[in-house]
């Protein structure tokens, strides 16, 4: 792909990479109050989100679950300021959050390191500081030595690590993740679960992680939030008290996953009967 030819996905990636760093000591919280979102012409608009109320506390890891089409990704786009709510308010005191997509959204004409440096440049980091910081972030995601590799030279898991490093380069206090591991095989996904948990603990960033995988949510989160089928509403929340480190096959993870899955199935059945 020529650098002059960009897609809508490239535009979203560039907007997310731009970010804005939270000030030192920022809270890293997200506050969503009475948020509604509809799409379509006035008078014929279809509601996607209905009266969403949710708070992510500083340093908290929250997973957002729901059936396909319930508005999970729409909510992340609203929080990231890539779209505007039809009503209600969203406050992120630490500045614009970083956003990581299901697809890596890396620019293929740039190396791994240069993809990270792009986010640093858009943040206003001086040129002389960009490569050392990019290499430091690659070390953080266990990809030391990959600075000069092109995207096509990286496996799917490695590409997602670079995408995570690029998101962290924005130095935001809030990280939004939209099903970032959904396309990966089970073994790679499990490894990246461990890495993400480690990085979250090391950085103290607040994470809002969208997934349709119940066990993934219980494996990662301190709190799991379930959205109803469209229009999306917060219908239930669970605090996950299972000690870390967790494994996806742990009995406690499996037990809570069964409970949450039953609630999710109920929402899908209600939607199907409406």
């Amino acid at each position: 792909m020529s650098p002059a030819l960009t897609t809508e996905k490239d535009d979203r990636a560039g907007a997310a990479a731009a970010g804005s760093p939270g000030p030192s000591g920022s809270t890293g919280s997200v506050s969503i109050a009475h948020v509604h979102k509809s799409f379509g012409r006035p008078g014929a608009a279809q509601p996607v989100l209905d009266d969403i109320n949710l708070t992510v506390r500083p340093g908290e890891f929250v997973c957002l679950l729901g059936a396909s089409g319930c508005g999970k990704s729409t909510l992340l786009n609203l929080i990231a300021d890539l779209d505007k709510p039809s009503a209600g308010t969203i406050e992120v005191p630490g500045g614009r959050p970083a956003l990581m997509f299901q697809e890596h959204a890396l620019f293929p004409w740039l190396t791994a390191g240069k993809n990270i440096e792009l986010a640093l440049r858009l943040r206003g980091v001086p040129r002389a500081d960009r490569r050392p910081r990019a290499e430091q972030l690659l070390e953080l995601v266990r990809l030391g030595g990959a600075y000069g590799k092109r995207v096509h030279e990286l496996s799917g898991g490695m590409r997602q690590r670079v995408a995570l490093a690029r998101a962290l380069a924005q130095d935001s206090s809030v990280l939004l993740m939209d099903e970032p591991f959904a396309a990966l095989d089970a073994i790679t996904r499990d490894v990246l679960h461990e890495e993400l948990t480690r990085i979250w603990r090391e950085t103290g960033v607040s994470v809002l992680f969208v997934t349709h995988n119940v066990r993934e949510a219980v494996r990662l989160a301190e709190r799991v939030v379930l959205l109803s089928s469209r229009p999306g509403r917060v219908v239930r929340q669970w605090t996950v008290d299972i000690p870390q480190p967790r494994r996806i096959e742990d009995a406690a993870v499996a037990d809570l996953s069964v409970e949450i899955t039953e609630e999710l199935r109920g929402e899908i059945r209600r939607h199907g009967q409406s």
Side-chain angles (χ1 to χ4, degrees), residues 117 120-121 124-135 147:
E117 284 193 40
L120 295 170
R121 179 172 66 82
V125 174
R127 180 188 296 270
D129 297 336
R130 292 175 203 159
R131 176 158 185 163
R133 180 57 178 155
E135 290 177 337
Y147 179 92

Side-chain angles (χ1 to χ4, degrees), residues 111-113 131 138 145-150 153:
T111 64
R131 176 158 185 163
L138 285 169
Y147 179 92
K149 289 188 177 295
R150 298 278 180 177
E153 298 179 278

Side-chain angles (χ1 to χ4, degrees), residues 202-224:
E202 287 183 11
T203 61
V205 68
S206 305
V207 179
L208 184 57
F209 186 106
V210 162
T211 180
H212 64 272
N213 186 317
V214 177
R215 283 213 183 192
E216 179 174 63
V218 177
R219 160 72 178 81
L220 292 171
E222 294 183 292
R223 182 159 50 106
V224 176

Side-chain angles (χ1 to χ4, degrees), residues 193-206:
H193 287 164
E194 294 178 359
E195 292 298 304
L196 177 58
T197 300
R198 174 185 59 82
I199 290 166
W200 164 61
R201 288 177 173 274
E202 287 183 11
T203 61
V205 68
S206 305

